[in-house]
Amino acid sequence: MSNFFADKDAKIFVAGAKGMVGSAVVRKLQTLGYNNVLQPNSRELNLIDQQQTNRYFEQQRPDYVFLVAGKVGGIHANSAYPADFIFENLMIALNSIHAAYKHGVKKLLFLGSSCIYPKLCPQPIKEEYLLSGYLEPTNEAYAVAKIAGVKLCQYYRQQYGCDFISAMPTNLYGPNDNYDLDNSHVLPALIRKFHDAKVSGAEEVVVWGTGEPRREFLYVDDLADACLFMMENYSANGIINVGSGVECSIKELAQIIGAVVGFSGRVIYDCSKSDGTPRKLLDVSKINKIGWNARTELVEGIGRTYKEFADLVKY
């Protein structure tokens, strides 16, 4: 295993540091006393550009890399912009992983997504179910790019001995999320919808789909904690799931968010909209066995997230 926790002077590159996951990783690193954290924004470093990426690694020579950058979005965004999702995420993975190999990175963590698993695989989802069936069509482009990133890490480990690992988180939420109604994931979108309805005095909120699909959610600061834990304690060719191990239906999620926000009107389900994958619960026994567990309960995490959103949003 690495000496990551002991090496507080190591040069650490957080790719995607301004996003929800990246900013949580940076917060965790700073809390633990790491004093050499590279966190360029997309204007300073465009990971889609191979020459820029290679030049950055050559100049900075990071010791550790958290590769948490990527183009992300919900069902609508993935369906509307599949070419953008596959191209940008493929290029980020290809450029960053190859540059890490070329310039001697000690260890790299690539963050995938639970959407890489087949749409109808058994539940809870074990790591070995990868590539055992068809993907969910609405996010296939994103999933294919993330699967390619996983395989890049595996093959660079196999051929060159690189200590590159891949983790698959479940659905994430928390500070610095995207609340755009067209491009966000279900939990932040519902926070926005319920908040808007409360402020405007609307009598109802419309939720896409039947409300029956079940989802697992992980507070983003818990994921950041897991990322640092894996950098110290996990080194293997196989992927590893990261989640809370707890699921709820979209209807239950809407009830929780409505209560946290303080909306007392009706909730209407638009069954003409796609539900996506019917159920998606990760088997997290692998990471639990090596010593990591999620800490934040869903109601507590949504409360923290809504407070941040309500403090930031202006009408």
Side-chain angles (χ1 to χ4, degrees):
M1 299 301 171
S2 74
N3 293 315
F4 178 75
F5 284 152
D7 195 0
K8 292 296 192 291
D9 294 322
K11 187 175 282 191
I12 301 169
F13 172 35
V14 181
K18 306 308 175 185
M20 178 176 65
V21 176
S23 60
V25 171
V26 170
R27 282 196 302 275
K28 185 69 176 178
L29 288 166
Q30 292 173 339
T31 298
L32 293 179
Y34 292 91
N35 52 37
N36 199 359
V37 180
L38 305 172
Q39 43 183 315
N41 61 38
S42 57
R43 293 183 302 278
E44 295 167 325
L45 173 60
N46 179 9
L47 292 169
I48 298 170
D49 186 307
Q50 188 176 62
Q51 289 186 332
Q52 269 194 47
T53 304
N54 187 64
R55 185 163 57 248
Y56 185 84
F57 274 80
E58 184 177 25
Q59 292 172 349
Q60 297 295 337
R61 300 280 175 170
D63 298 303
Y64 299 95
V65 175
F66 291 90
L67 184 48
V68 299
K71 182 177 179 63
V72 298
I75 290 176
H76 172 77
N78 275 271
S79 300
Y81 313 111
D84 292 347
F85 273 86
I86 194 168
F87 174 77
E88 292 186 27
N89 287 297
L90 273 173
M91 293 304 291
I92 289 168
L94 285 164
N95 294 341
S96 303
I97 291 168
H98 186 66
Y101 151 67
K102 280 182 65 179
H103 300 294
V105 167
K106 292 179 182 178
K107 191 165 187 176
L108 176 145
L109 169 64
F110 172 75
L111 205 65
S113 166
S114 59
C115 75
I116 69 169
Y117 291 112
K119 177 177 181 177
L120 300 175
C121 66
Q123 304 286 319
I125 303 169
K126 297 180 183 295
E127 287 89 352
E128 56 262 35
Y129 296 161
L130 180 63
L131 296 176
S132 65
Y134 292 107
L135 297 168
E136 160 60 40
T138 57
N139 59 28
E140 183 182 79
Y142 177 78
V144 167
K146 287 297 183 180
I147 292 169
V150 167
K151 291 301 178 183
L152 279 166
C153 288
Q154 290 179 347
Y155 296 145
Y156 275 73
R157 174 182 286 270
Q158 176 183 317
Q159 184 171 339
Y160 299 117
C162 300
D163 195 1
F164 295 171
I165 59 174
S166 300
M168 302 303 114
T170 190
N171 300 283
L172 302 169
Y173 71 100
N176 207 19
D177 208 340
N178 172 20
Y179 297 93
D180 180 86
L181 292 178
D182 289 330
N183 296 314
S184 62
H185 291 102
V186 60
L187 194 154
L190 288 179
I191 286 178
R192 178 67 182 268
K193 282 188 174 186
F194 278 102
H195 180 82
D196 287 355
K198 175 187 173 182
V199 170
S200 67
E203 296 181 352
E204 65 182 38
V205 166
V206 178
V207 178
W208 279 20
T210 65
E212 298 302 322
R214 302 185 68 78
R215 293 291 183 269
E216 174 188 17
F217 297 96
L218 182 68
Y219 190 58
V220 71
D221 287 69
D222 283 3
L223 174 63
D225 182 66
C227 287
L228 271 65
F229 175 87
M230 288 181 286
M231 200 61 100
E232 174 77 13
N233 295 288
Y234 184 73
S235 181
N237 197 43
I239 59 177
I240 187 166
N241 290 335
V242 186
S244 64
V246 179
E247 63 178 345
C248 69
S249 70
I250 299 302
K251 282 185 179 178
E252 291 168 333
L253 178 67
Q255 290 170 356
I256 293 170
I257 292 175
V260 169
V261 171
F263 174 77
S264 56
R266 298 186 305 274
V267 180
I268 308 297
Y269 292 90
D270 182 357
C271 298
S272 69
K273 302 296 186 183
S274 172
D275 271 339
T277 303
R279 188 182 179 208
K280 194 165 64 172
L281 174 67
L282 294 181
D283 183 330
V284 292
S285 59
K286 187 174 178 179
I287 194 168
N288 292 165
K289 284 177 182 175
I290 62 173
W292 183 87
N293 292 272
R295 300 174 183 172
T296 307
E297 299 287 342
L298 185 60
V299 174
E300 177 190 356
I302 289 174
R304 291 184 198 168
T305 304
Y306 178 59
K307 183 180 185 307
E308 188 224 25
F309 172 78
D311 287 344
L312 291 174
V313 73
K314 298 217 175 0
Y315 290 91

